[in-house]
Amino acid sequence: MRKIINKPENFVDETIEGILFAYGDRVKLLNEDKRVILTNYPVKKGKVGIVTAGGSGHLPVFLGYVGQGMLDGCAVGNVFASPSSQKMADMIKACDYGSGVLCLYGNYGGDNMNFDMACELVEFDDVETRTVRVKDDVASSPKEAADKRRGVAGMVYAFKLAGAAAEKMMSLDEVAQVAQKALDCTRTMGVALSPCIVPEVGKPTFSINDDEIEIGMGIHGERGIEVRKMMTADEVAQTVLEKILADMPLEKGDEVSIMVNGLGATPLEELLIVYRKLHLLLADKGVTIYMPHVGEFATSMEMAGLSITVLKLDDQLKELLRSPASTPFYTNANK
């Protein structure tokens, strides 16, 4: 294992300490708990709180999107492991500003179970909650079983759009509806070239030959839908876009936002080459791209590869996407 770390068992806590030292003007700990981060911005009384949680190892997801205009709180566990229901409950209570809290998170077993328990716990303190689970990974389950899909990079769009809705002082039900609408219009699929190594495990999560690429690989190393010989950037873009559009067709005149997300070890230049082809393919279909996102938004340690997310926009989602936000890893000054 070749990583620039100290002790593997200190990996998560030291990462969070680094975030706090670098971005302490934007985020803070909940009661000195290094596994729960809250916004450090002033919050309007009566604003709906938005929280998420999940395993560490995916920066900027989840910790990097706490701040203003996105998330109010985030709890994390060890690498690829859910935090406890008690930490989630403590976070939810801290993010209740009088109008309830939206729990917005990926569709994974541990997170589902612990968030369900956390929501039950905060009911005793009269905190009202709503739950929206992110299920944007088209490779993880067929369309007829879409409810079983995993949540991947598309959750960043959900954080942004729901966060903007909350800043507009929409009600808890309205913010939840915006989050669900955003996710209904979002599809993601990824490809992987190499595995990652969980620090406390010390060995790769899976194996793949140097001349191969796995189509549909999950962000924890979950199996994809097929392994192929290495493809060009244009072939990757076309293959993934075809899979996404088979699930969520687009028509001439539609407007979308595209996210090309690096999984941790893929250079920005390669992401831009893939985006170039996506732009050309969608232009040929008469589809316009608005506010493209190219970079690392939801990683998997040092996994090489990328994911492509398509968010189909309408006037409401477009307005919310361009609304201001300020977090450690996502800042949007558009108005």
Side-chain angles (χ1 to χ4, degrees):
M1 180 173 66
R2 300 179 65 191
K3 290 179 180 288
I4 303 175
I5 61 174
N6 297 309
K7 294 181 179 179
E9 61 269 25
N10 295 336
F11 176 81
V12 177
D13 286 351
E14 290 182 350
T15 297
I16 292 177
E17 286 175 6
I19 290 173
L20 289 165
F21 290 155
Y23 307 107
D25 57 328
R26 303 185 188 191
V27 295
K28 62 185 178 182
L29 296 179
L30 172 61
N31 300 326
E32 302 305 313
D33 185 343
K34 292 180 182 177
R35 299 305 178 94
V36 182
I37 280 186
L38 305 177
T39 180
N40 204 19
Y41 285 93
V43 179
K44 300 174 190 173
K45 185 177 180 181
K47 186 189 87 70
V48 169
I50 304 178
V51 300
T52 195
S56 302
H58 299 300
L59 277 176
V61 168
F62 303 89
L63 299 164
Y65 300 118
V66 176
Q68 189 173 56
M70 293 184 78
L71 299 172
D72 295 285
C74 174
V76 293
N78 290 330
V79 175
F80 300 174
S82 177
S84 70
S85 58
Q86 187 59 59
K87 289 189 184 297
M88 291 178 178
D90 293 341
M91 168 187 65
I92 292 169
K93 287 187 286 186
C95 295
D96 179 25
Y97 311 118
S99 295
V101 178
L102 172 65
C103 301
L104 180 57
Y105 57 94
N107 187 32
Y108 295 92
D111 298 334
N112 292 341
M113 179 182 67
N114 288 333
F115 254 120
D116 285 347
M117 288 191 290
C119 290
E120 291 178 5
L121 287 171
V122 301
E123 282 183 10
F124 293 106
D125 295 294
D126 296 322
V127 177
E128 189 176 7
T129 61
R130 296 288 184 275
T131 293
V132 175
R133 293 172 178 163
V134 182
K135 307 170 184 177
D136 59 313
D137 184 0
V138 299
S140 58
S141 195
K143 192 169 186 176
E144 57 270 21
D147 200 49
K148 297 180 180 179
R149 287 176 173 171
R150 300 183 292 252
V152 284
M155 70 176 65
V156 179
Y157 280 134
F159 295 160
K160 177 66 188 70
L161 297 167
E167 290 291 337
K168 291 181 179 293
M169 303 303 288
M170 292 185 184
S171 69
L172 179 56
D173 283 336
E174 289 171 333
V175 173
Q177 287 165 6
V178 166
Q180 189 59 61
K181 177 182 176 180
L183 292 168
D184 289 343
C185 297
T186 301
R187 302 289 189 278
T188 301
M189 187 170 167
V191 299
L193 310 180
S194 73
C196 64
I197 298 174
V198 176
E200 290 198 65
V201 176
K203 60 182 181 180
T205 52
F206 64 92
S207 62
I208 186 169
N209 294 329
D210 290 342
D211 63 343
E212 293 178 335
I213 182 170
E214 184 143 4
I215 310 296
M217 171 66 70
I219 59 173
H220 303 106
E222 298 98 335
R223 292 180 65 86
I225 54 178
E226 62 176 315
V227 175
R228 296 187 186 181
K229 290 299 182 181
M230 189 57 200
M231 304 159 67
T232 67
D234 285 0
E235 289 169 339
V236 169
Q238 185 153 2
T239 297
V240 174
L241 186 62
E242 285 176 356
K243 298 283 189 184
I244 288 174
L245 296 190
D247 200 273
M248 185 180 69
L250 297 175
E251 299 177 357
K252 184 176 181 179
D254 282 342
E255 195 165 16
V256 300
S257 183
I258 295 289
M259 178 181 291
V260 181
N261 167 60
L263 295 178
T266 297
L268 183 57
E269 290 88 343
E270 296 177 23
L271 303 181
L272 286 163
I273 292 171
V274 170
Y275 176 77
R276 163 194 168 273
K277 183 61 174 178
L278 293 170
H279 178 96
L280 294 172
L281 289 169
L282 289 171
D284 284 345
K285 295 179 180 294
V287 175
T288 303
I289 299 175
Y290 178 76
M291 284 186 66
H293 291 54
V294 183
E296 291 187 343
F297 296 90
T299 65
S300 185
M301 303 295 292
E302 73 276 36
M303 187 184 291
L306 58 88
S307 65
I308 295 169
T309 301
V310 178
L311 166 63
K312 186 176 179 180
L313 296 168
D314 63 9
D315 290 342
Q316 182 194 33
L317 296 182
K318 188 174 177 180
E319 178 189 356
L320 295 171
L321 184 60
R322 66 173 175 258
S323 295
S326 180
T327 76
F329 292 89
Y330 189 112
T331 298
N332 177 31
N334 291 343
K335 293 185 179 179

